[in-house]
Amino acid sequence: EGLERDETLWHGRESVSGILKKNMARGSSSSSGQGTLMGVVFPCMANILGVLLFLRLPWIIGKAGILHSFCLVFVCCLCTFVTTLSLSAVATNGKIRGGGAYFLISRSLGPALGAGVGLCFYMANSIGAAMYFMGTIEAWEIAAPTMQLMTPGDLNNIRISGFLVLGVALVLVGGGIKYVARLGTFFLFLVLAVILCMYLGCLFGPAEGSVPYELEITDALGNVSIAEFVWGAPRKAWFIENFSPGYDEDQKAFPLDTSEYNFIALMALWFPAATGIMAGSNRSADLLDPAGSIPKGTLFAQGLTSLIYLSFAILYGCIAPRSTLLDDKFFAASSAWPLKEVVIYGVMASTIGAGLTSLTSGARLLGAIASDGTLPILKVFAASPGREPRLALLASGILCACAIAIGELNAVAPVLTMFFLMCYTCVNMSCTILHIVQDPNWRPTFRYHHWTISLMGAILCVWMMFAMSALIATIAVIFCSIIFVYAAYNSHEVKWGDGFQGMKFQLARNILTNMDLRMHTKNWRPQLLVITGASISTDGEDIGDEVLHIHDPELLNIASQLNGGRGITILGGVCAAKGKDVFSDGGMFVNSHARQKVLDGQEAMQQLLGKYNIAGFGRIVYTEDFSAGLMSLVQISGLGAFQPNTVVAAWPREWSNLGAKGAEARMQFIRLVQVSVVFQKVMLVCKGSNWPSLSARLSGCIDIWWIVGDGGILLLLPFLIQKHRVWQSCRTRLFVLADLIGDDPEVMQAECEKYVRDFRLQIEVHVKVVDPEDDSLLQKDAVPEPVDLEVSPEHVGVDEAGPRVRGEVNIIRQHSSESKFLKRGSRQGPPRRQDLPPFSPALRPGVLPTPPGTIGSLGAAPLNLESVVFGDSRQMGAFGGSRMLRPGVGNDDTFNSRIHRGFNDDTVNSRMGFINEQAVQHQHFMNSAEQLTSTQPCSEGELDLAVRLNAIIANESAASDLVVTNLPDMPPDESAFGYLQMVDAMTKDLKNCMLVRGTTTEVITAFT
């Protein structure tokens, strides 16, 4: 069968010859045989050569003069010419199916902007029909002034007659839309015949020479008078007279129009005459070669009609004086050869045909927009396949009737101009954007195009819009913006591969590569990496009616509620093969059914983010070992400045299991924390069984138990989570421990409140005084009443910028066998490190420190992973050994500076009795690999301290909705089992707890 058809070698993939045959079959089936002339040139010329050429161009020349008229006609034609170049480029960038200009715009600009531009184009077609019908009535008033329903020239006559013509047109179009479209060629030849008569009259003049002729003139009050006019063959005198503008000259052609015209106003009036360049692309489904015919035919039609307009702009200025041009409202007919009736009735027939074509195009365009589904509000106008859009035609008729109700063609044309300019602006911008973003699919075969030309065309369109009327232009932009937002909201499922996606990609790429990786403290925000186990169905049956199952679903609620920081969230699911080789027979990467489930799982992960309103990304890591998946997620998640800086994980439920399952859970948890420490990421452990859902509304307390320095993350997290509607009614309380002996609780209370105010946080401050002689909190039935100390008014938390925050100072008598390490004021110097219990910093009084020497900086990168994992233990005392400095100690008045200096000043350290060992280069969580596998219980000393600390916390926060506190480090001699036992004892009887381990980076600042 041939090498390319070998099923064993290519696994049934299609051969190149088969692909080529299918492509040829698709191309041949989509053609209907119309060529460039009949399919593009004639329709475009029929739409471009409109009523304004016959009814307004001589009057515009009388107002603006030959020079200004030529310039404004040239500017309008230049705008449409540049847009034609852009349209040709879009039309040659791939095969075009049915849908015409709207298809080109929407598939290039995207569903959202395409819908807005499509609606503008639809409204332009519908309002354009009104302009044509009003031109028909004006011509009819001149042809038969005695056969009018009301007084000729009266606005009501134009309105009522226009409504009647519109009604007949709707009946005709509704009876056969497809037949109306075929009459375009007939109407075009009729227009060309009229234009030929106009040329002959202008070039040769009347047969009897310059003979005056008389016309009836109606003034603004309805009085009729007879005026005499003259015209003839081109004359130099008339050319000189009409060369300069006469904007202030009186005109009698339109007595009810009292507007003051200038160059810009007349350009707005004339611009609709230059439109119609998209008529050929509207017939793309009927063309033999759309990509070849649309550029050639549209450029030819636009160029020829531009020459016609520019030539008449000169000829009319040479064949009559200014008064004739300003007072004869149908001078194009008066100057025609051989009879003016030829032009009058020809114009009437052609304008009716153009109006019918505009109604047809508008109805089909609205039906196409409704069928795309990007604007659900318009779905009622969608037509069934093979049927004509009757309701869309009715909507076009209503819009057309509203424009006719204006009654004045000079007022309708500028409104029509705005909608066309909006459409042309977006066509030009689409080409510019597609080139700038270097979209790989942007490969137009049209050679005479450059993106700078499209950019200049877009700028020209915008200038014309705002120069004509800033108010109407603003309204048009707002209208398109509303449609854009509405369509963007409803078009998530529409995937057209548009240019805006490429623009977003390039914008994101440029921002990402230029962002500073070292984020300033003011800009720090939690970028969450939520790590959880995941399972997918690989046996043909879904898990719980879902392809994907998340092991810790409560983390999704937590991640959503932490979105107040507006950082990026990455949901990472680790799907372990549980010891089975993923490439073995039946493995998820070899089995065909399992491979599909793998793809479905990735899609389900992204859908899960949308379900929980999480702004971010989801990814499943498939691996044979769970720990390897954890390592991969922490190390490679994110890009550049969007790398996660906070790891969120759930408390291991099986930690107390002494079997293999418990050992695996403990190792996974410890490894995850250790990797987070190595890569300088905040670790956030969520412990609790009753996390609130997104629909819950809490009004309790969020309690912060600040034990050790963490860069301020402990204060920042409650502030961010309180932005979510679940927590926004909760109170936030800060608890700090102090010694009964050696600490002044009133001073500490005042200093804590000032510290909180400096950071602009609405937090209640509570100083808990620990009495080493009292262990009543450890007794189940004896919970003493807190003792309130009287605090002077100046020490109560009064914030000038916010509400009054009332704090409290309580005494808790706490006895400990290690009380000698809790007491201060010893003059024997700081105790040795080996004499300290590993978790004693938890009860160090008066602690509000930050890590010494590391404010606003990152630690040095480790030389290798082993030196960090198995290096020196974390410095003791750096986070727990400092004391709240008293006023007057040191020279710096700020609290944070005094604390920072206290960590480095040996004199102050000695006086305060705080432990200040030489700082190690790196800080660690675990110290040896043996800690992972050992099941040795927690030592009595550490467990006792954890229990006593829990008694203090639970006494105040047992009923709180959330407790946020520090995650302790692993003592050097404790096993993973013992460490988790200690942490579990410390957080016992708390509803929901966040255990946070910060980094050496300051994440909150008091400065502007």
Side-chain angles (χ1 to χ4, degrees):
E1 295 184 357
L3 181 62
E4 76 280 4
R5 300 180 184 272
D6 192 322
E7 301 244 346
T8 304
L9 185 61
W10 304 113
H11 294 280
R13 283 182 284 177
E14 190 173 7
S15 64
V16 175
S17 60
I19 295 174
L20 296 177
K21 289 179 180 178
K22 284 186 178 181
N23 183 67
M24 291 299 296
R26 285 195 299 265
S28 61
S29 63
S30 63
S31 62
S32 61
Q34 283 193 344
T36 302
L37 189 63
M38 293 296 296
V40 181
V41 175
F42 286 171
C44 284
M45 291 187 66
N47 278 265
I48 295 173
L49 297 172
V51 65
L52 293 177
L53 170 64
F54 312 111
L55 294 178
R56 292 296 183 272
L57 184 57
W59 184 82
I60 289 175
I61 296 171
K63 275 285 186 183
I66 295 175
L67 179 61
H68 284 199
S69 298
F70 187 90
C71 291
L72 71 86
V73 171
F74 178 78
V75 170
C76 295
C77 293
L78 177 64
C79 179
T80 55
F81 174 74
V82 173
T83 305
T84 302
L85 295 178
S86 300
L87 181 66
S88 300
V90 175
T92 58
N93 188 51
K95 289 190 175 183
I96 304 173
R97 298 193 295 270
Y102 168 69
F103 177 86
L104 294 178
I105 296 170
S106 60
R107 270 56 178 180
S108 298
L109 296 176
L113 192 56
V117 177
L119 274 185
C120 285
F121 195 38
Y122 156 73
M123 298 179 75
N125 276 276
S126 300
I127 297 175
M131 185 184 69
Y132 289 125
F133 292 147
M134 292 168 69
T136 302
I137 302 305
E138 284 192 13
W140 174 243
E141 286 182 336
I142 296 173
T146 61
M147 299 179 63
Q148 303 302 311
L149 298 175
M150 303 182 71
T151 304
D154 188 6
L155 294 183
N156 289 327
N157 184 62
I158 295 178
R159 293 181 181 123
I160 296 175
S161 301
F163 291 151
L164 292 176
V165 173
L166 173 61
V168 175
L170 289 175
V171 173
L172 293 176
V173 176
I177 290 181
K178 57 184 178 181
Y179 301 109
V180 173
R182 296 175 184 175
L183 295 176
T185 303
F186 168 75
F187 292 124
L188 171 63
F189 281 105
L190 191 62
V191 170
L192 292 177
V194 170
I195 291 175
L196 179 60
C197 295
M198 293 164 56
Y199 268 122
L200 293 176
C202 290
L203 294 175
F204 301 106
E208 59 275 6
S210 299
V211 178
Y213 65 97
E214 295 180 346
L215 290 176
E216 291 184 352
I217 300 297
T218 304
D219 60 18
L221 300 177
N223 301 319
V224 180
S225 60
I226 303 299
E228 188 177 88
F229 304 102
V230 65
W231 72 283
R235 294 184 184 180
K236 181 179 179 181
W238 287 338
F239 175 82
I240 295 174
E241 177 187 353
N242 296 324
F243 185 80
S244 59
Y247 296 115
D248 297 330
E249 296 287 339
D250 293 333
Q251 57 90 19
K252 300 178 182 178
F254 310 103
L256 298 178
D257 186 2
T258 59
S259 303
E260 294 183 1
Y261 287 93
N262 53 25
F263 181 87
I264 299 298
L266 291 176
M267 185 169 60
L269 174 62
W270 173 253
F271 185 81
T275 61
I277 58 176
M278 294 186 178
S281 59
N282 286 336
R283 300 191 178 192
S284 59
D286 302 325
L287 298 177
L288 179 64
D289 179 20
S293 297
I294 291 177
K296 297 176 184 177
T298 306
L299 281 172
F300 179 82
Q302 198 278 335
L304 182 58
T305 53
S306 297
L307 290 176
I308 293 173
Y309 288 157
L310 293 172
S311 63
F312 275 115
I314 298 175
L315 285 175
Y316 280 136
C318 298
I319 64 172
R322 188 183 298 273
S323 59
T324 301
L325 297 176
L326 289 175
D327 297 341
D328 186 354
K329 66 187 302 182
F330 209 163
F331 180 73
S334 301
S335 61
W337 180 91
L339 299 172
K340 69 177 184 179
E341 286 75 16
V342 174
V343 175
I344 291 175
Y345 289 106
V347 168
M348 289 177 59
S350 64
T351 51
I352 290 176
L356 294 175
T357 303
S358 295
L359 284 177
T360 303
S361 300
R364 287 182 169 176
L365 184 57
L366 182 59
I369 296 173
S371 299
D372 274 341
T374 55
L375 298 174
I377 196 174
L378 300 178
K379 64 181 180 180
V380 67
F381 299 111
S384 303
R387 302 187 64 181
E388 298 293 350
R390 309 291 182 191
L391 286 178
L393 177 62
L394 179 61
S396 299
I398 294 174
L399 183 58
C400 181
C402 293
I404 292 175
I406 297 175
E408 178 58 57
L409 190 148
N410 288 5
V412 173
V415 177
L416 182 61
T417 295
M418 288 297 172
F419 289 111
F420 274 117
L421 285 174
M422 280 292 299
C423 184
Y424 292 170
T425 299
C426 293
V427 171
N428 286 301
M429 280 306 301
S430 67
C431 294
T432 305
I433 291 171
L434 288 169
H435 178 87
I436 290 177
V437 302
Q438 299 181 356
D439 197 317
N441 191 56
W442 178 242
R443 303 185 301 274
T445 58
F446 182 68
R447 294 182 298 172
Y448 307 103
H449 169 265
H450 194 268
W451 70 272
T452 55
I453 298 176
S454 296
L455 179 60
M456 289 188 293
I459 294 174
L460 177 61
C461 291
V462 173
W463 171 80
M464 292 174 67
M465 287 175 58
F466 283 90
M468 293 172 184
S469 175
L471 177 62
I472 298 178
T474 303
I475 293 174
V477 172
I478 293 175
F479 171 79
C480 275
S481 300
I482 293 174
I483 298 299
F484 175 82
V485 173
Y486 179 65
Y489 180 78
N490 293 282
S491 59
H492 297 295
E493 302 300 324
V494 179
K495 303 298 181 184
W496 290 338
D498 54 89
F500 262 85
Q501 292 297 324
M503 184 177 66
K504 292 177 184 177
F505 175 84
Q506 286 293 339
L507 184 63
R509 170 185 171 274
N510 293 337
I511 292 176
L512 189 61
T513 53
N514 291 316
M515 283 189 69
D516 190 355
L517 298 183
R518 297 171 61 90
M519 190 171 292
H520 192 275
T521 304
K522 297 178 183 178
N523 306 116
W524 193 96
R525 62 192 64 202
Q527 315 255 51
L528 304 181
L529 172 59
V530 182
I531 294 184
T532 178
S535 303
I536 61 170
S537 171
T538 57
D539 56 359
E541 295 183 0
D542 294 342
I543 304 176
D545 297 328
E546 298 287 346
V547 174
L548 176 68
H549 172 67
I550 296 296
H551 296 178
D552 302 303
E554 70 275 7
L555 294 181
L556 298 175
N557 285 321
I558 298 170
S560 180
Q561 293 161 17
L562 280 171
N563 269 345
R566 293 295 182 267
I568 295 294
T569 298
I570 298 178
L571 176 58
V574 180
C575 184
K578 300 178 181 179
K580 186 176 181 180
D581 188 355
V582 294
F583 293 101
S584 64
D585 293 338
M588 64 176 65
F589 290 164
V590 177
N591 182 275
S592 59
H593 178 75
R595 288 202 307 269
Q596 184 58 46
K597 289 293 184 179
V598 167
L599 299 177
D600 294 341
Q602 299 288 6
E603 183 177 351
M605 179 70 87
Q606 200 64 35
Q607 293 174 354
L608 204 59
L609 293 176
K611 177 181 177 181
Y612 284 87
N613 298 322
I614 299 175
F617 308 94
R619 180 58 56 183
I620 299 180
V621 174
Y622 299 95
T623 178
E624 299 173 11
D625 179 67
F626 193 93
S627 297
L630 294 179
M631 291 281 291
S632 300
L633 280 174
V634 174
Q635 293 182 74
I636 67 174
S637 293
L639 292 172
F642 289 95
Q643 294 182 40
N645 53 29
T646 304
V647 178
V648 182
W651 176 259
R653 298 184 182 89
E654 303 290 336
W655 72 269
S656 59
N657 190 322
L658 295 178
K661 193 172 184 179
E664 181 66 21
R666 292 190 295 272
M667 284 193 293
Q668 291 172 4
F669 178 78
I670 300 300
R671 286 170 175 170
L672 177 60
V673 178
Q674 177 66 5
V675 173
S676 301
V677 170
V678 171
F679 290 98
Q680 289 288 319
K681 299 183 187 296
V682 174
M683 187 68 211
L684 177 57
V685 180
C686 302
K687 187 174 184 290
S689 58
N690 191 28
W691 287 96
S693 64
L694 298 182
S695 60
R697 299 294 181 269
L698 304 180
S699 57
C701 293
I702 301 175
D703 290 348
I704 306 171
W705 286 85
W706 199 4
I707 310 299
V708 295
D710 50 15
I713 185 64
L714 217 62
L715 297 178
L716 184 62
L717 280 178
F719 168 75
L720 297 179
I721 201 172
Q722 211 169 1
K723 289 185 176 183
H724 196 276
R725 57 183 178 271
V726 172
W727 302 92
Q728 62 184 2
S729 298
C730 292
R731 298 161 49 211
T732 303
R733 304 186 298 178
L734 172 64
F735 292 92
V736 180
L737 301 181
D739 234 354
L740 181 63
I741 302 174
D743 281 326
D744 187 341
E746 294 183 2
V747 174
M748 289 183 63
Q749 178 80 18
E751 290 183 345
C752 288
E753 289 173 353
K754 183 180 183 302
Y755 185 85
V756 169
R757 287 198 308 271
D758 288 344
F759 282 88
R760 308 175 303 283
L761 298 172
Q762 300 298 323
I763 299 178
E764 300 177 14
V765 176
H766 300 261
V767 176
K768 313 308 294 183
V769 182
V770 180
D771 184 357
E773 303 300 328
D774 187 7
D775 58 358
S776 59
L777 287 181
L778 297 180
Q779 301 174 11
K780 296 182 179 180
D781 299 324
V783 180
E785 291 290 329
V787 179
D788 288 337
L789 297 182
E790 189 68 21
V791 182
S792 58
E794 62 269 21
H795 290 154
V796 178
V798 179
D799 192 350
E800 296 81 356
R804 185 182 182 93
V805 180
R806 171 65 178 171
E808 66 175 14
V809 182
N810 292 344
I811 295 181
I812 301 174
R813 294 186 176 276
Q814 177 68 49
H815 175 72
S816 171
S817 59
E818 304 290 341
S819 60
K820 62 182 179 179
F821 300 123
L822 300 178
K823 295 181 180 180
R824 304 297 178 125
S826 173
R827 297 187 178 274
Q828 298 178 0
R832 295 173 302 169
R833 175 179 182 135
Q834 58 268 27
D835 295 333
L836 285 172
F839 198 56
S840 61
L843 294 180
R844 302 296 284 185
V847 178
L848 281 177
T850 54
T854 60
I855 294 180
S857 63
L858 289 171
L863 297 177
N864 54 67
L865 187 62
E866 290 77 7
S867 64
V868 175
V869 175
F870 304 108
D872 294 331
S873 61
R874 187 175 179 181
Q875 181 190 4
M876 298 293 295
F879 295 119
S882 70
R883 159 176 301 282
M884 177 80 71
L885 296 182
R886 303 290 180 268
V889 178
N891 298 321
D892 200 331
D893 292 332
T894 65
F895 174 79
N896 194 49
S897 299
R898 286 186 281 120
I899 290 298
H900 178 73
R901 186 174 64 251
F903 280 113
N904 298 278
D905 191 314
D906 291 337
T907 303
V908 175
N909 294 344
S910 176
R911 179 167 58 250
M912 302 308 300
F914 118 20
I915 306 164
N916 183 24
E917 290 188 298
Q918 183 179 3
V920 294
Q921 182 179 4
H922 307 300
Q923 298 169 347
H924 313 298
F925 176 73
M926 58 176 287
N927 296 273
S928 68
E930 297 178 359
Q931 292 178 291
L932 291 174
T933 56
S934 174
T935 58
Q936 179 182 353
C938 183
S939 62
E940 182 178 353
E942 280 79 11
L943 188 58
D944 178 66
L945 288 173
V947 171
R948 294 175 182 275
L949 180 58
N950 171 256
I952 299 173
I953 296 176
N955 183 58
E956 298 290 339
S957 304
S960 298
D961 293 315
L962 178 63
V963 174
V964 183
T965 188
N966 298 100
L967 176 69
D969 285 349
M970 277 187 80
D973 298 329
E974 292 293 344
S975 66
F977 181 88
Y979 170 73
L980 292 175
Q981 184 183 16
M982 179 187 69
V983 177
D984 185 66
M986 189 183 80
T987 57
K988 183 181 179 183
D989 297 329
L990 302 180
K991 292 168 61 176
N992 296 307
C993 183
M994 279 189 181
L995 297 164
V996 184
R997 190 191 193 280
T999 65
T1000 56
T1001 302
E1002 190 176 14
V1003 301
I1004 189 171
T1005 178
F1007 298 99
T1008 304

